Amino acid sequence: MLAFCSKGHAHQPSPKTQVALFIFRDSLFDAGNNIYINTTVCYRANFWPYSETFFKYPTGRASNGRLFLDFIAKYAKFLLIPTYFPSYNDQFIYGVNFASGGAGALAETHPGYVIDLNTQLSYFKLVEKEFKQKLGDAGAKTLLSKAVYLFISIGTNDYFVPLRTNSSEIYKIGGRKFGFTSLRPRMFPSLESNCAWKLRILPGECFRGFKEAIMGCCGSGRYRGILSCGGMTEIKKY
C-alpha cells in the first residue's frame, strides 16, 4: 500500500489559454510525484545531481535537467505541467502529470513503491470529478475533449523487473539467442567487447542488437546507467 506525504512546493500557474495536457508514464515523465511516496527512497530523484543543469535544484526528475516531456510541452506552447502530488487542484485545468518513476502497466511491478498505470488512471478520474464540480458537466467535457493525453511506451518496467530477478530461467533450459525490441538499454547493464548488451553475465551466446551505448550522466557501471545517482541510494559516486 502506498503512503503519501502531504506537503510540497507549488508550481507556477500556466496561461488561461492553455489546452490541458495529461501525462501518464514512468521515470521518463515523472516530474516529482515519487517524492510524496514515503514507503521508499529508491525511486525518487529529489537530490543532487538531478536537475542541476536547468532547474538548479532537485525537482524529482530523473535527469540532469529537463525531461523529454518538458521539451514536448515547450514546443507545444505549454508551460511546466504540475504533478498530481501535492494536489494543487486550482491549476489542474492546465493539465496534470501522473507519471511515477519505476511504474509499469501492471500493478505487480514495484508494488507499494510506485504509482502503477491503473492507479494513475484512477487519479485522473478524481481530477475529472474535480473539473465537474468547478466547471460543471459541460465545462469539464469541453476541457477534457480538447486536452492532449500523453502515453509513450509505458510498460518497460514490467519487463525489467522479472528479467532482473529471473533472467536465467530460459537460459537454464537451453535458450541462447534472445531478442528484445523497444526496451531501454539500461535493462542490459553489462556491455561486452563486440557483443551488445548481456543480461546479467551468462556464458554462451551474447545478446545482440545495440552497436553504440549512450553514457549516463551518473550512476554506476561501465556506462553509468545502473540504478540511481548519488543521494540517498546505495550509489554515492557520480
Side-chain angles (χ1 to χ4, degrees):
M1 183 176 181
L2 295 175
F4 293 98
C5 307
S6 60
K7 294 183 180 180
H9 61 276
H11 295 263
Q12 294 298 317
S14 302
K16 293 182 179 180
T17 56
Q18 293 287 104
V19 174
L21 175 62
F22 297 101
I23 301 142
F24 308 83
R25 235 212 104 142
D26 52 24
S27 59
L28 289 188
F29 285 174
D30 185 358
N33 280 312
N34 278 17
I35 297 173
Y36 303 96
I37 302 176
N38 63 18
T39 50
T40 183
V41 299
C42 292
Y43 304 103
R44 296 182 185 179
N46 59 324
F47 41 80
W48 293 105
Y50 289 121
S51 302
E52 64 179 353
T53 62
F54 183 80
F55 296 97
K56 308 306 180 184
Y57 68 93
T59 63
R61 290 167 168 79
S63 168
N64 67 327
R66 287 174 287 182
L67 299 173
F68 171 50
L69 157 71
D70 297 318
F71 291 99
I72 291 175
K74 175 184 176 180
Y75 289 110
K77 308 300 182 184
F78 292 101
L79 295 185
L80 296 179
I81 303 301
T83 53
Y84 183 74
F85 292 105
S87 297
Y88 293 100
N89 293 329
D90 58 330
Q91 296 182 48
F92 282 178
I93 59 171
Y94 308 117
V96 189
N97 184 342
F98 300 96
S100 171
L106 302 177
E108 294 82 4
T109 299
H110 301 138
Y113 301 126
V114 300
I115 308 167
D116 63 81
L117 180 58
N118 280 339
T119 304
Q120 292 179 34
L121 291 170
S122 72
Y123 292 155
F124 172 75
K125 294 296 291 183
L126 294 177
V127 171
E128 178 192 20
K129 182 178 180 181
E130 182 73 19
F131 287 161
K132 289 180 177 179
Q133 292 175 352
K134 288 188 175 183
L135 306 175
D137 289 353
K141 183 176 181 180
T142 298
L143 187 150
L144 294 173
S145 66
K146 291 182 177 180
V148 176
Y149 301 86
L150 190 57
F151 299 80
I152 300 181
S153 303
I154 187 167
T156 300
N157 287 308
D158 298 322
Y159 290 90
F160 175 58
V161 171
L163 287 174
R164 182 179 62 184
T165 57
N166 250 335
S167 62
S168 62
E169 187 172 323
I170 297 177
Y171 178 88
K172 287 178 179 178
I173 63 171
R176 291 297 182 273
K177 297 179 176 67
F178 301 83
F180 300 88
T181 63
S182 302
L183 300 176
R184 288 179 232 164
R186 75 175 180 86
M187 290 185 63
F188 313 106
S190 301
L191 190 64
E192 297 293 327
S193 60
N194 61 343
C195 292
W197 301 93
K198 297 189 73 174
L199 202 57
R200 302 179 91 175
I201 301 296
L202 300 173
E205 187 69 22
C206 61
F207 297 75
R208 304 180 184 278
F210 294 97
K211 293 182 179 180
E212 296 182 5
I214 299 173
M215 184 72 72
C217 64
C218 59
S220 67
R222 183 174 177 182
Y223 292 92
R224 299 188 303 191
I226 300 176
L227 297 178
S228 187
C229 306
M232 296 173 284
T233 68
E234 63 273 21
I235 296 174
K236 302 300 181 183
K237 295 180 180 180
Y238 51 84

